[in-house]
Amino acid sequence: MGEPTRRDFLYLATGMAGAVGVVSVAWPFIDQMRPDASTLALASIEVDVSSLEPGMSLTVKWRGKPVFIRNRTPEEVKAAEEVPMADLKDPLARNANLGTDATASDLDRSAGKGKENWIVMIGSCTHLGCVPLGQAGEYNGWFCPCHGSVYDTAGRIRKGPAPQNLAIPTYAFTSDKVIKIG
């Protein structure tokens, strides 16, 4: 191998110019795939639940979807706890705060020990994405009138065509009266 020639330099310079050109053309296409500021702002929300007495519900919007927050009565909690696991269509909790193998027990679907009365769920029917009606249906939970899916007070599918329990997003109580979703 000899000394580099002028031709070697021209090949190298042309290759570098081509690479810069490709990157400058491709960058706008790559950059447009990032989420915009309004989407990032919705990544998490804080909800004040201080006005929710037992038996009351609140629906908020998070990431373009309705989220049901319910302060269940002691009777609703007791009824949900007494449901045998064998009676459930979907045995999994579908709770983003727990492992994927968590069972659909009332405790695993609720906000956890000491806050069993609180339930937070994404309010989209798992059949076709309709928004179920609250405090309706045979189990006084949620009822999707579009195709007849019935959920109990823990958001577990009990009857109808829906294949899964209502999903539970990642959330945490930041204080006794504020829930951070996302």
Side-chain angles (χ1 to χ4, degrees), residues 139-162:
Y139 302 97
N140 198 32
W142 287 266
F143 172 69
C144 186
C146 300
H147 300 99
S149 294
V150 182
Y151 301 89
D152 65 10
T153 60
R156 301 174 294 197
I157 183 65
R158 300 295 297 277
K159 288 186 177 179

Side-chain angles (χ1 to χ4, degrees), residues 42-46 62-63 97 120 169-172 179-182:
L42 293 175
S44 65
I45 60 170
E46 288 191 357
W62 174 66
R63 294 185 180 173
N97 302 295
V120 178
T170 302
Y171 73 94
I179 298 174
K180 182 178 181 179
I181 302 172

Side-chain angles (χ1 to χ4, degrees), residues 107-151:
L107 184 62
D108 284 350
R109 300 270 310 155
S110 71
K113 202 74 169 150
K115 294 193 179 292
E116 295 91 349
N117 56 312
W118 291 100
I119 187 112
V120 178
M121 302 173 299
I122 296 175
S124 294
C125 180
T126 58
H127 178 234
L128 291 176
C130 307
V131 179
L133 304 173
Q135 292 68 60
E138 187 176 335
Y139 302 97
N140 198 32
W142 287 266
F143 172 69
C144 186
C146 300
H147 300 99
S149 294
V150 182
Y151 301 89

Side-chain angles (χ1 to χ4, degrees), residues 11-27:
Y11 284 146
L12 184 63
T14 304
M16 293 300 284
V20 169
V22 167
V23 168
S24 65
V25 168
W27 180 251

Side-chain angles (χ1 to χ4, degrees), residues 78-93:
K78 185 174 188 250
E81 288 173 343
E82 292 175 350
V83 174
M85 293 298 287
D87 289 357
L88 301 176
K89 280 181 72 173
D90 182 8
L92 299 175

